[in-house]
Amino acid sequence: MLQNPIDRDIVESLRQVVLQAGVLAKEHFSRLDVIESHKKGSKDLVTEADIEVEEFIRKNLENKFPEIGFFGEETGKSEHRDSRWIVDPIDGTHSFFRGQVFWSISIALEVNRELKLGTVYAPALDELYFAEKGAGAWKNGKQIRVSGVESLSDAMVCTGFACLRSSLESNNLERFNRVALETRDQRRLGSAALEMCMVGDGRLDVFWEQNLNLFDVAAGALIATEAGATICNFSGKSGLFPAEILVTNGLIDQEILQLM
Ligand code: 2AM
Ligand code: CA
């Protein structure tokens, strides 16, 4: 089993792998005119970049740490282990495919069901987030902290509508209308992993979304939490619930929960 604190070799290897994966993703990003994609669902797509980047990450991490399992958006789960990497090779595939900048590579390390390491790398922004359980969170080597915004009326909030692609009846539109009216400004950037990091570094005060998957939110959750954010579901229950996730700077959670 992995020791606590996490071995420096694992931390450094993760940093190297995510940076190299970023180089690979950026190569694809620079030639979107020829990139191949296909539909995963009626409104959801996957590109050759998603698959190649995940295969690269998986091969490198599994070769170096065969005792650690793997759970990736594109290649699925390895057999059960006490520890595993949780990987989204390109979070924000639709942004990526349209040449927009808000997409990221997200990798978390979970040990005995607890998140220990998280990295989210946004190659097109040249921003690398990293967090280690109990030690803090950093962006490009500088420690980050949530904002000090204390009221929803001053808040910059952010959400997403992944649920629309699944044509769910409960689709976040009414919730968005309610919240938007009470806030200073709103964003929708298209990469949940990155949006959670941006609550961590104080560029956003709140992020929420429904119907996400663990690989969208695992790394971002550790980064946000280590930067002082609180994470709960729409009823205020603490913890990481990808189906209903609310991330705040820890100062306006009670106010926004009333509107959820
Ligand atoms: P993806 O780009 O890796 O698919 C955007 O609102 C967020 O929702 C992104 O993190 C995106 O991840 C995720 N997402 C997009 N389509 C989705 C779907 N059909 N189901 C669940 N999550 C989705
Ligand atoms: Ca994703």
Side-chain angles (χ1 to χ4, degrees), residues 213-225:
N213 294 291
L214 183 61
F215 42 73
D216 299 311
V217 295
L222 185 65
I223 292 162
T225 309

Side-chain angles (χ1 to χ4, degrees), residues 189-200:
L189 304 174
S191 165
L194 198 50
E195 289 161 319
M196 293 171 79
C197 291
M198 288 170 72
V199 176

Side-chain angles (χ1 to χ4, degrees), residues 73 88 90-92 215-216:
E73 175 164 13
D88 190 339
I90 297 185
D91 186 51
F215 42 73
D216 299 311

Side-chain angles (χ1 to χ4, degrees), residues 44 73 88 90-93 162 165 188 190 192 209 211-212 216:
D44 213 1
E73 175 164 13
D88 190 339
I90 297 185
D91 186 51
T93 299
R165 285 189 229 161
R188 188 266 197 262
E209 190 157 354
N211 297 94
L212 294 178
D216 299 311

